[in-house]
Short mmCIF file of all heavy atoms in Angstrom, two decimals:
data_model
loop_
_atom_site.label_atom_id
_atom_site.label_comp_id
_atom_site.label_asym_id
_atom_site.label_seq_id
_atom_site.Cartn_x
_atom_site.Cartn_y
_atom_site.Cartn_z
N LEU A 197 -23.17 -2.05 15.45
CA LEU A 197 -21.74 -1.74 15.34
C LEU A 197 -21.53 -0.39 14.68
O LEU A 197 -20.66 0.39 15.11
CB LEU A 197 -21.03 -2.85 14.56
CG LEU A 197 -19.52 -2.68 14.37
CD1 LEU A 197 -18.80 -2.46 15.69
CD2 LEU A 197 -18.94 -3.90 13.64
N ARG A 198 -22.30 -0.08 13.65
CA ARG A 198 -22.11 1.20 12.97
C ARG A 198 -22.48 2.37 13.88
O ARG A 198 -21.85 3.42 13.83
CB ARG A 198 -22.83 1.26 11.62
CG ARG A 198 -24.31 1.43 11.65
CD ARG A 198 -24.95 1.50 10.26
NE ARG A 198 -25.09 2.86 9.79
CZ ARG A 198 -24.38 3.40 8.82
NH1 ARG A 198 -23.45 2.70 8.21
NH2 ARG A 198 -24.59 4.64 8.45
N ALA A 199 -23.49 2.18 14.74
CA ALA A 199 -23.85 3.23 15.69
C ALA A 199 -22.72 3.44 16.69
O ALA A 199 -22.40 4.59 17.06
CB ALA A 199 -25.14 2.85 16.42
N TYR A 200 -22.10 2.36 17.12
CA TYR A 200 -20.98 2.46 18.05
C TYR A 200 -19.79 3.13 17.38
O TYR A 200 -19.12 3.98 17.98
CB TYR A 200 -20.60 1.06 18.54
CG TYR A 200 -19.50 1.06 19.57
CD1 TYR A 200 -19.73 1.53 20.86
CD2 TYR A 200 -18.23 0.61 19.25
CE1 TYR A 200 -18.72 1.53 21.82
CE2 TYR A 200 -17.21 0.61 20.20
CZ TYR A 200 -17.47 1.08 21.47
OH TYR A 200 -16.46 1.10 22.41
N MET A 201 -19.53 2.77 16.13
CA MET A 201 -18.43 3.39 15.39
C MET A 201 -18.67 4.89 15.22
O MET A 201 -17.75 5.70 15.34
CB MET A 201 -18.26 2.69 14.03
CG MET A 201 -17.63 1.32 14.13
SD MET A 201 -18.02 0.20 12.75
CE MET A 201 -17.62 1.23 11.34
N ALA A 202 -19.92 5.25 14.93
CA ALA A 202 -20.25 6.67 14.78
C ALA A 202 -20.00 7.43 16.08
O ALA A 202 -19.51 8.57 16.07
CB ALA A 202 -21.71 6.82 14.35
N LYS A 203 -20.31 6.78 17.19
CA LYS A 203 -20.09 7.40 18.50
C LYS A 203 -18.60 7.65 18.73
O LYS A 203 -18.20 8.67 19.32
CB LYS A 203 -20.65 6.49 19.58
CG LYS A 203 -20.51 7.02 21.00
CD LYS A 203 -21.11 6.03 22.01
CE LYS A 203 -20.91 6.52 23.43
NZ LYS A 203 -21.48 5.55 24.41
N LEU A 204 -17.76 6.72 18.24
CA LEU A 204 -16.31 6.86 18.40
C LEU A 204 -15.69 7.76 17.33
O LEU A 204 -14.53 8.13 17.43
CB LEU A 204 -15.64 5.48 18.33
CG LEU A 204 -15.91 4.51 19.48
CD1 LEU A 204 -15.22 3.17 19.22
CD2 LEU A 204 -15.45 5.08 20.82
N GLY A 205 -16.45 8.05 16.28
CA GLY A 205 -15.92 8.84 15.18
C GLY A 205 -15.11 8.01 14.20
O GLY A 205 -14.17 8.51 13.57
N ILE A 206 -15.47 6.74 14.07
CA ILE A 206 -14.79 5.84 13.13
C ILE A 206 -15.66 5.64 11.90
O ILE A 206 -16.85 5.30 12.01
CB ILE A 206 -14.51 4.47 13.80
CG1 ILE A 206 -13.57 4.64 14.99
CG2 ILE A 206 -13.93 3.48 12.79
CD1 ILE A 206 -13.38 3.37 15.81
N ALA A 207 -15.10 5.86 10.72
CA ALA A 207 -15.86 5.74 9.48
C ALA A 207 -16.24 4.28 9.23
O ALA A 207 -15.53 3.36 9.62
CB ALA A 207 -15.05 6.28 8.31
N HIS A 208 -17.36 4.10 8.55
CA HIS A 208 -17.86 2.77 8.21
C HIS A 208 -17.55 2.49 6.74
O HIS A 208 -18.03 3.17 5.85
CB HIS A 208 -19.37 2.73 8.45
CG HIS A 208 -20.01 1.40 8.17
ND1 HIS A 208 -21.35 1.17 8.37
CD2 HIS A 208 -19.51 0.22 7.68
CE1 HIS A 208 -21.65 -0.08 8.04
NE2 HIS A 208 -20.54 -0.66 7.61
N GLY A 209 -16.71 1.47 6.52
CA GLY A 209 -16.45 1.01 5.16
C GLY A 209 -17.12 -0.33 4.96
O GLY A 209 -17.11 -1.17 5.86
N ALA A 210 -17.70 -0.56 3.79
CA ALA A 210 -18.42 -1.80 3.52
C ALA A 210 -17.72 -2.64 2.47
O ALA A 210 -17.57 -2.20 1.33
CB ALA A 210 -19.85 -1.50 3.07
N TRP A 211 -17.30 -3.86 2.88
CA TRP A 211 -16.83 -4.79 1.86
C TRP A 211 -17.98 -5.77 1.55
O TRP A 211 -18.89 -5.94 2.36
CB TRP A 211 -15.56 -5.51 2.27
CG TRP A 211 -15.55 -6.41 3.46
CD1 TRP A 211 -15.14 -6.09 4.73
CD2 TRP A 211 -15.93 -7.81 3.52
NE1 TRP A 211 -15.24 -7.18 5.57
CE2 TRP A 211 -15.73 -8.25 4.85
CE3 TRP A 211 -16.42 -8.71 2.58
CZ2 TRP A 211 -16.00 -9.56 5.26
CZ3 TRP A 211 -16.68 -10.02 2.98
CH2 TRP A 211 -16.48 -10.43 4.30
N SER A 212 -17.93 -6.33 0.36
CA SER A 212 -19.03 -7.14 -0.16
C SER A 212 -20.35 -6.39 -0.06
O SER A 212 -21.36 -6.91 0.45
CB SER A 212 -19.13 -8.48 0.59
OG SER A 212 -19.83 -9.43 -0.18
N PRO A 213 -20.40 -5.13 -0.53
CA PRO A 213 -21.62 -4.32 -0.38
C PRO A 213 -22.82 -4.88 -1.12
O PRO A 213 -23.96 -4.52 -0.82
CB PRO A 213 -21.20 -2.96 -0.94
CG PRO A 213 -20.09 -3.27 -1.90
CD PRO A 213 -19.35 -4.41 -1.25
N LEU A 214 -22.58 -5.77 -2.09
CA LEU A 214 -23.68 -6.38 -2.85
C LEU A 214 -23.95 -7.82 -2.40
O LEU A 214 -24.68 -8.55 -3.07
CB LEU A 214 -23.36 -6.34 -4.34
CG LEU A 214 -23.21 -4.94 -4.95
CD1 LEU A 214 -22.67 -5.00 -6.36
CD2 LEU A 214 -24.55 -4.19 -4.91
N ALA A 215 -23.34 -8.22 -1.29
CA ALA A 215 -23.55 -9.56 -0.73
C ALA A 215 -23.23 -10.66 -1.74
O ALA A 215 -23.90 -11.69 -1.79
CB ALA A 215 -24.98 -9.72 -0.20
N LYS A 216 -22.19 -10.42 -2.53
CA LYS A 216 -21.74 -11.41 -3.52
C LYS A 216 -22.87 -11.90 -4.42
O LYS A 216 -22.95 -13.08 -4.76
CB LYS A 216 -21.07 -12.59 -2.82
CG LYS A 216 -19.78 -12.23 -2.11
CD LYS A 216 -19.10 -13.45 -1.51
CE LYS A 216 -17.79 -13.07 -0.84
NZ LYS A 216 -17.12 -14.23 -0.19
#
Side-chain angles (χ1 to χ4, degrees):
L197 180 54
R198 75 179 267 109
Y200 183 71
M201 286 156 50
K203 181 180 177 181
L204 292 177
I206 298 173
H208 181 178
W211 63 263
S212 201
L214 298 170
K216 294 184 178 177

